[in-house]
Amino acid sequence: RKEVEQDPGPFNVPEGATVAFNCTYSNSASQSFFWYRQDCRKEPKLLMSVYSSGNEDGRFTAQLNRASQYISLLIRDSKLSDSATYLCVVNWPGNYQLIWGAGTKLIIKP
Amino acid sequence: DGGITQSPKYLFRKEGQNVTLSCEQNLNHDAMYWYRQDPGQGLRLIYYSQIVNDFQKGDIAEGYSVSREKKESFPLTVTSAQKNPTAFYLCASTNRGDLENIQYFGAGTRLSVL
């Protein structure tokens, strides 16, 4: 069964705080991992790919744990504009399909 | 400006009616996808196409049909057989040469039943 699981939240976080979410996936053969951001009533947009060694883009850090089959996203010094739903996405090997989590809703409060 | 254009932005369907959602891309991408998103849920794959004149069913293809006569275009028809069509429909594309398979999206079409 194709599964990507996320905590739906919402995570209510004060501005400036650090927040982290995890996502678990079912297929141990998956090779591509992403975090997308989706604003209310808009299309998803790529936030960052997730690489085996972990990677950072400004305030955002993504990690992959293959042994436990999860990926994580850490946001430091959170801004009001970070409020959105964060979608975890994993490829399904053997075709061009991506499997999408239901998303984690983040609300940054002033 | 390269991108994916979906139209219309909002669409209303009457009982028993077929409606067609448009998706056009000028990114020269080979693969195109249609997803459905319901409130509080992730994206579910309806159909995808890796090359012109070829397409495959996704996880929820029943009640939908597609065509891929041109590389740039991948229209989705929501048929009367789809009993619960109200949702946000998203079209995406990717370059098959992209090892990561990053997908890029249009702005979506919101379909409601009258």
Side-chain angles (χ1 to χ4, degrees):
Chain A
R1 189 172 167 180
K2 302 173 185 173
E3 284 188 345
V4 173
E5 303 283 348
Q6 295 184 251
D7 182 340
F11 285 50
N12 290 286
V13 173
E15 192 175 8
T18 295
V19 60
F21 340 115
N22 285 347
C23 154
T24 59
Y25 59 94
S26 61
N27 192 328
S28 60
S30 292
Q31 294 292 327
S32 299
F33 308 89
F34 310 95
W35 285 103
Y36 276 71
R37 171 194 169 126
Q38 187 174 25
D39 293 293
C40 189
R41 301 178 70 81
K42 300 285 190 183
E43 75 275 23
K45 292 184 179 176
L46 180 68
L47 178 67
M48 59 197 302
S49 301
V50 185
Y51 302 120
S52 296
S53 54
N55 49 300
E56 193 173 301
D57 182 2
R59 298 180 295 107
F60 299 84
T61 300
Q63 300 261 338
L64 168 63
N65 185 317
R66 286 193 184 274
S68 301
Q69 292 181 213
Y70 75 85
I71 66 174
S72 63
L73 178 67
L74 180 83
I75 306 174
R76 289 182 299 279
D77 187 23
S78 53
K79 312 289 184 193
L80 295 176
S81 58
D82 294 334
S83 297
T85 296
Y86 291 84
L87 302 169
C88 172
V89 191
V90 177
N91 83 304
W92 194 258
N95 59 39
Y96 284 86
Q97 290 191 38
L98 296 179
I99 310 303
W100 295 74
T104 296
K105 186 170 183 177
L106 175 65
I107 301 170
I108 305 298
K109 297 184 176 286
Chain B
D1 237 356
I4 302 173
T5 302
Q6 288 187 242
S7 62
K9 190 169 181 179
Y10 299 96
L11 185 59
F12 298 91
R13 193 191 88 168
K14 293 180 183 177
E15 200 76 37
Q17 188 181 37
N18 292 354
V19 293
T20 298
L21 284 59
S22 170
C23 178
E24 304 275 334
Q25 55 98 0
N26 61 3
L27 300 168
N28 200 32
H29 284 174
D30 304 292
M32 297 185 74
Y33 305 78
W34 274 106
Y35 292 96
R36 169 181 173 141
Q37 188 177 32
D38 293 281
Q41 296 195 29
L43 278 63
R44 292 186 289 166
L45 184 65
I46 305 172
Y47 269 98
Y48 65 106
S49 168
Q50 296 184 29
I51 55 172
V52 174
N53 292 323
D54 185 55
F55 47 83
Q56 286 81 42
K57 292 182 179 180
D59 299 318
I60 56 164
E62 188 173 345
Y64 300 96
S65 66
V66 292
S67 62
R68 186 87 186 276
E69 295 175 5
K70 298 187 299 181
K71 188 176 185 179
E72 303 80 23
S73 179
F74 190 40
L76 173 74
T77 297
V78 184
T79 75
S80 57
Q82 173 47 247
K83 297 305 179 190
N84 184 22
T86 297
F88 188 36
Y89 290 86
L90 287 156
C91 178
S93 70
T94 189
N95 189 346
R96 287 180 70 196
D98 176 3
L99 293 175
E100 287 194 282
N101 190 25
I102 293 172
Q103 293 185 4
Y104 300 91
F105 286 85
T109 293
R110 291 196 178 273
L111 176 61
S112 302
V113 176
L114 287 176

